[in-house]
Amino acid sequence: MKKYFTTKHIVYLSLAVLFCLPLSNATAQKQAETAKMNAFVSGLMKKMTVDEKIGQLNLVTGGMAITGSVTNNGIADGVKKGAIGGIFGLYGTDNVRKMQEAAVNGTRLHIPLIFGLDVIHGHRTIFPIPLGMSTTWDLGLIEQSAHIAAKEATAEGLNWVFSPMVDIARDARWGRISEGSGEDPWYGGQVAAAMVKGYQGTSLKNADAVMACVKHFALYGAAEAGREYNTVDMSKIAMYNYYLPPYKAALDAGAGSFMSSFNVVDGVPATTNKWLLTDLLRKQWGFNGFVVSDYTALNEVTNHGLGDLQTVSALALKAGLDMDMVGEGFLSTLKKSLQQGKVTMADIDLACRRVLEAKYKLGLFQNPYKSINAQKEKTDVFTDANRKAARITAEHSFVLLKNANQILPLKKSGGSIAVVGPLADNKRDMLGTWVIAGEWEKSVSVLEGIKHVVNDDVKVTYAKGANITDDTTFMKRLNFGPGMVSLDPKSPQDMLEEAVKTAKKADIIVAVVGESQSMSGESSSRSDISIPESQQLMLKALAKLGKPIVIVLFNGRPLTLTWENDNAAAILDVWAPGTEAGNAVAEVLFGNYNPSGKLTTTFPRSVGQIPLYYNHLNTGRPYSSGPTKFKSNYLDISNNPLYPFGYGLSYSKFSYSNINVSKTHLKGDEILTATVTVTNNGPYAGEEVVQLYISDPAASISRPVKELKDFKKINLQIGEKQEVTFKITPQQLKFYNSQLKYDWEPGSFIIQIGTNSADTKTAKVQWAK
Ligand code: BGC
C-alpha cells in the first residue's frame, strides 16, 4: 500500500494542529457565542409585535433636556407600553432601577432598557477635557481615565456612554474641538482606541464595563467656517486619509455603537446616508454594532431638505440608522411607512435585532440590574484614588507654551505672589464642557491649589481683576445653564484697580485667565478666538507694572495669543483640567511635576489663518521665509503658527542627536530603524514626547508635507541620555490614492524625528517595492 504520511509528516501535522488549536478554539467559541445570541434574539423577535420592535428603536431622554428641546413626555408610561428601547440622561441607582423595573416587570416580553449618558471625560470625578487628555500623549493614562469613568458610571446604573468623540478638527473656531483629540488622524485613532478599551474593558458583560459610542459619524469636525452644525464638503481622498481613520480605529478596538453626525457627508445628511452607515461602516469596515442618531438629528434631516419626518425616517432606517435619539421619528412614522410599503419588515427587524444584540452583549438579558448597585454607588464614586488619577492626568495634560528666563517653576518658599484673574478663585469653570454628573462645587480652584502647595512663608494675595467678559449679550449666550457666567457687583474699573494694587505689592503675578466652561464645547463657535477683552485689559494694565506675569490659561480650543506671548514671562496652558484642577496647576507651577504635554492642535497667530494644521499639502508656490507677492501666503502675516502641532516646553531642556538610520536603501517589507539620542541637558528630571514624522515628497497624489507616524514618551533624569528607536515598516507609508486604494508607493521618504512638528532632525531613505 502506498504510504501517504511519513512519521515526519505526522509530527508536523500534530504540531500544526497543536498550534492552531487555541486559535480555532477561540474562533469556535466566538462563533458559538454569536450563534447563541442570534438564536436568543431570533426567538425573542418572533414574539414581538411591530410596535414592540419599533419601540426598541426609540431612545428618549430621562432628565433635563441636555442640548435641545425634549419632545418625549411620560417616560415611565412609554416604557410600560414597550415604546422605548433606551433612556439617556438618567443616572443614579434609584432612578435607573425604577425605570428598569418598569421595563422588565411592566412589559409583556420583559426586555430591559439600555441606559446611556454623555460621560465624556469622567463621570463624577472629572478628568481634563478630551483635548487636554490628548495633550498628555499618554495612552495608558487616557485608557485609565475611561476605565475610571466606566466604573463610576456603572456604579450609578449606566451601561452606555456617548464617547469617544473622534472628530478631527482643524478649525479652532469650532467649539467642539475641545471634545476631540485635535488635528492628527493617526494620533486621534490611538486615543480613540485607548478610550474604547478603557470603557469596554475585557468584556461588555463585566459589571464595570460600558458600551462606547463613537461619535460623530462622520466628518463633523470639518464644519465650514468652524460654525456649529454647518455643512461639510470634502473629497473622498481627504475623508479616507485625514478624517475617517479615528472612527475606524475605534471600531477596530471593538466599539459597540456609533452615533451619526448632524452634518451632510457628500451632500447627504449623515443620519440618512446609506453610503456612510451601510456601505462604508458595515460593508467595508465590518461594523456589527448599532447606530444611534445624534439628538433630534433625524428630525433635522427635514431642514436639510430631504422631506417630511415620515420620509426622512424611512430613509434613515433604510440607510442603516438603528436608533432615533429623542426625535420620535421612528416611533411616530415607521408603522405607517411599513403599511405603505416605504419600509419593509426586514428593515425594521434588522435595526431591532442590532439594538437587542447590544443589550445581549452587555449581559442585560441575563441581569438587567447588573450594574445597579447601591453599595458601589456610595463607595466607588469620587474616591480619593479616582481624584488622584484625575490630578495626575491633569498635570500631564498641561502644555508649557512659554517660559522666559526659567521663571517657572516658582519657589515654594519666600516672597509674594499675586494671584489674579476671573478663573483664579473659581470652581465651576475648572470642569470644562460636558460634565453632566460632575459637581463643580467639589472641584479645587487654582487659588486653593496654590495655597495647598506653598510654604507658610509665601505671601499669597488675590484679586479677581476682571469679569470673564463684560459683554452682557455674549454673557447671555454663555448662560445656557443657571449662573454660569455673571458680572461681579464691583465695576470693571474698580476690579482692575484692585488687581493692579494687589500685584504692585507682589514679586510675581500669576494671572489665571481664558475661556469659561461654556465658551467651548457644543454650540460654542467663536469668530474671535482671543482671550475676552475684559481679561486682556487686565493683563495689559498688569504688564505696565513691569513684573513677571505667569499666565495660567484655561481654554477649550487653541486661542490667538500673540500679545500674551510677547508680554507674559510664562504661559502654562491647562485647558479645563477637571475636579482636581487647582491642585494639578499648583503641582506644576511649583515644580512638583515638570510639564510634558504637547499640543495636538496648531495655535494660529490670527483667526484669519484658519484652517491651519501641520499636515497640510504643499502648494505649487510654497511659502518660504516671509510673505511676498505671488506665493501662497498672506500679505500681512506669516504662514507659520504661533505654536506648532506637537509643541510644548519642559522646565528642562532636551537635545536631539542626528538620526541614525539602519539603511538608506530598502526594499519591500524590510524594516527601517531610525534612532536618535535624546539628552536631558537641563536642571530637572522630566519627560519628553519624541515624535516621528515622515514625508513622501513624490507620489501619485499630492501628499502632506509631513505626517505623524509614531511617538515615544520618555523619562530622563538630569544629564541622562537615551537612545530612542523607531521601527518603520511600509505599512506606515500607506495612503489612499485617487482610486481609494490603500497602498504605499516606492520612492524617497524623509524621516523626521524631533520635539515638535516644526523642529525635527531629518534623514532621507529610498524605498523600492
Ligand atoms: C451632541 C452629542 C451628544 C448628544 C446627547 C448632542 O447634541 O451632539 O454629542 O452625545 O447631544 O446628549
Side-chain angles (χ1 to χ4, degrees), residues 691-722:
Q691 300 158 41
L692 168 73
Y693 298 86
I694 300 182
S695 320
D696 184 357
S700 61
I701 59 169
S702 189
R703 302 278 297 124
V705 291
K706 60 182 72 176
E707 291 180 300
L708 180 75
K709 295 292 176 180
D710 205 351
F711 71 92
K712 290 207 163 93
K713 192 161 185 177
I714 59 167
N715 199 329
L716 292 177
Q717 297 305 311
I718 302 168
E720 196 186 350
K721 277 184 200 313
Q722 193 175 314

Side-chain angles (χ1 to χ4, degrees), residues 67 88 118 162 176 215-216 259 262 294-295 325 434 522:
T67 54
F88 77 104
D118 286 286
F162 300 151
R176 301 197 84 168
K215 70 188 191 186
H216 306 83
M259 185 186 291
F262 288 122
D294 203 343
Y295 202 106
M325 186 193 289
W434 281 124
E522 185 172 354

Side-chain angles (χ1 to χ4, degrees), residues 550-614:
V550 173
I551 292 183
V552 174
L553 182 71
F554 281 73
N555 50 338
R557 53 157 58 81
L559 298 179
T560 45
L561 299 166
T562 43
W563 182 89
E564 292 77 2
N565 187 59
D566 289 345
N567 291 280
I571 306 176
L572 182 68
D573 192 334
V574 303
W575 313 110
T579 302
E580 283 288 308
N583 288 335
V585 168
E587 291 289 315
V588 174
L589 283 181
F590 293 92
N592 292 348
Y593 180 74
N594 182 357
S596 64
K598 301 268 191 172
L599 297 179
T600 53
T601 46
T602 301
F603 274 46
R605 290 167 193 275
S606 145
V607 77
Q609 290 178 306
I610 291 175
L612 190 66
Y613 48 96
Y614 87 95

Side-chain angles (χ1 to χ4, degrees), residues 308-438:
D308 62 13
L309 189 59
Q310 184 187 352
T311 307
V312 301
S313 299
L315 280 175
L317 185 76
K318 285 199 161 290
L321 184 78
D322 304 307
M323 202 179 225
D324 165 13
M325 186 193 289
V326 172
E328 299 191 348
F330 278 177
L331 190 74
S332 61
T333 70
L334 282 189
K335 198 167 176 191
K336 193 165 155 204
S337 289
L338 180 68
Q339 286 155 358
Q340 295 173 348
K342 291 182 175 150
V343 300
T344 64
M345 200 56 232
D347 296 328
I348 296 175
D349 277 352
L350 191 57
C352 175
R353 174 176 289 279
R354 290 180 187 139
V355 172
L356 294 175
E357 281 178 4
K359 295 180 178 181
Y360 184 96
K361 289 176 196 162
L362 280 161
L364 292 174
F365 286 106
Q366 277 162 310
N367 181 4
Y369 308 100
K370 74 161 194 178
S371 48
I372 305 180
N373 183 327
Q375 179 57 26
K376 277 193 174 174
E377 187 174 29
K378 288 194 197 109
T379 55
D380 285 18
V381 165
F382 208 71
T383 60
D384 287 348
N386 293 357
R387 293 185 62 165
K388 185 172 173 203
R391 175 176 59 74
I392 290 172
T393 311
E395 290 165 14
H396 284 68
S397 74
F398 299 165
V399 183
L400 184 62
L401 297 175
K402 180 177 179 189
N403 192 21
N405 307 321
Q406 299 275 305
I407 183 89
L408 293 178
L410 301 175
K411 289 185 200 69
K412 277 178 255 175
S413 26
S416 57
I417 303 173
V419 182
V420 297
L423 292 159
D425 186 19
N426 176 317
K427 287 176 183 282
R428 185 192 279 271
D429 294 307
M430 302 299 100
L431 302 187
T433 185
W434 281 124
V435 282
I436 306 231

Side-chain angles (χ1 to χ4, degrees), residues 87-99:
I87 301 181
F88 77 104
L90 188 81
Y91 53 92
T93 52
D94 283 348
N95 293 333
V96 174
R97 182 176 287 281
K98 239 182 255 159
M99 285 296 166

